[in-house]
Amino acid sequence: MVIVTHNGKFHADDAWAVAALHILFPEADIVRTRDSAIIDAADFVVDVGGTWDPARGRFDHHQKGFEGARASGVPYASAGLVWREYGARCVAALAAAHAGHQMDADAAQQLAHAIDNDIVQYLDLSDVGAARNAPGGYGMSAVVSGYNPNWMDEQRLGYGLEAEAYRLAQFRKAMAFLTDVMTNAVKYRVGAMLALAQVRQSEAMEDGRLLFLKNAALPWSSVVRKEMPKVLFVLSHSLSEDRYMLHTVPATTDTFDARADLPAPWAGLRDDELAAVTGVPDAKFCHNGRFIAAAKSYGGAYAMAQQALHAVDQGLTPLFDAREARMPLSS
């Protein structure tokens, strides 16, 4: 099997498209050329050749009269054309390989649409000159563009096999980067999907205002915000750091506001200073923004959670007497 794309300078849209195909067909040869005979004989042709025909593996958008666009009106470039046809299969393959999860066709298609909305459409927009995907030089399209040989490379390499080999190697580096982006996007979304049940089944304490998670790495914020209006704080076990974390719950998706902040006297304190304020011997830190704190033990973090809830009940933010703060809270 042969996947062909154009030679010369590459962009994020053709690198993404070839990377996606290569995930599904890892044994395929990648050829960068504008030779019409090689293009005609290829199994897949990306961003060159003047034809959009998915049934024949042709994914170009440069031809006169091309008007391919998403339902939203965002135009297609080669990244979107290939992702539209093979995105769901690519998602399913990555989910199985990197998350150990077998996805059904509908779920894979939904996830592929989400990745198109978050990533792929911006690669297409950048390629067709409609928009930048981030300010300055650090959008993904700009990062991929940086893998191209610069003028010093061109001067050093000149023309010939050595130059073409170097350009192909750089193209493969860009592909590897974008493959990591795809993989991480799939892993994150599959993980979030699988985490829903665990978060929903987690232990609610203190009249439902405190939620305990056995694994701090679970993506909990969205489901707690949407489905658990009573939860003010989340207590979780950080397996990687072997300590317990106390989190505030974001009030909205577009601000830093929390349903309730941690007590003001904790702000910016660490170790002995925080222990002295809270009366919790193994207290470790509280962020100056008062959205996260930690203790070494479950008991220590739970005591801090009780203090935070007590502060909410009192409508105060003074230094707390640890004995008072550990008293049972009323409903």
Side-chain angles (χ1 to χ4, degrees), residues 16 70 83 110-123 133 140 181 185 188-189:
W16 176 282
R70 297 160 174 82
W83 196 251
Q110 290 176 16
L111 205 157
H113 281 312
I115 292 174
D116 184 78
N117 288 336
D118 288 347
I119 303 174
V120 184
Q121 68 169 336
Y122 296 104
L123 306 184
N133 66 322
M140 196 176 302
V181 171
Y188 174 80
R189 288 166 177 79

Side-chain angles (χ1 to χ4, degrees), residues 11 16 18 52 71 76 78 91 93 104 108 114 143 170 173 185 188 213 216 223 226 231 235 264 275 278 298-299:
H11 302 96
W16 176 282
V18 176
W52 176 28
Y76 282 116
S78 61
V91 163
D104 62 45
V143 170
Q170 291 300 108
K173 287 181 181 179
Y188 174 80
L213 303 178
V223 66
K226 292 176 181 177
V231 174
L235 174 61
T278 61
Y298 170 83

Side-chain angles (χ1 to χ4, degrees), residues 49-63:
T51 302
W52 176 28
D53 185 354
R56 294 176 48 228
R58 268 53 188 166
F59 300 97
D60 197 14
H61 65 104
H62 295 99
Q63 57 272 29

Side-chain angles (χ1 to χ4, degrees), residues 106 174 189 280 285 304 320:
D106 287 343
R189 288 166 177 79
V280 175
F285 80 93
M304 293 171 70
F320 289 100

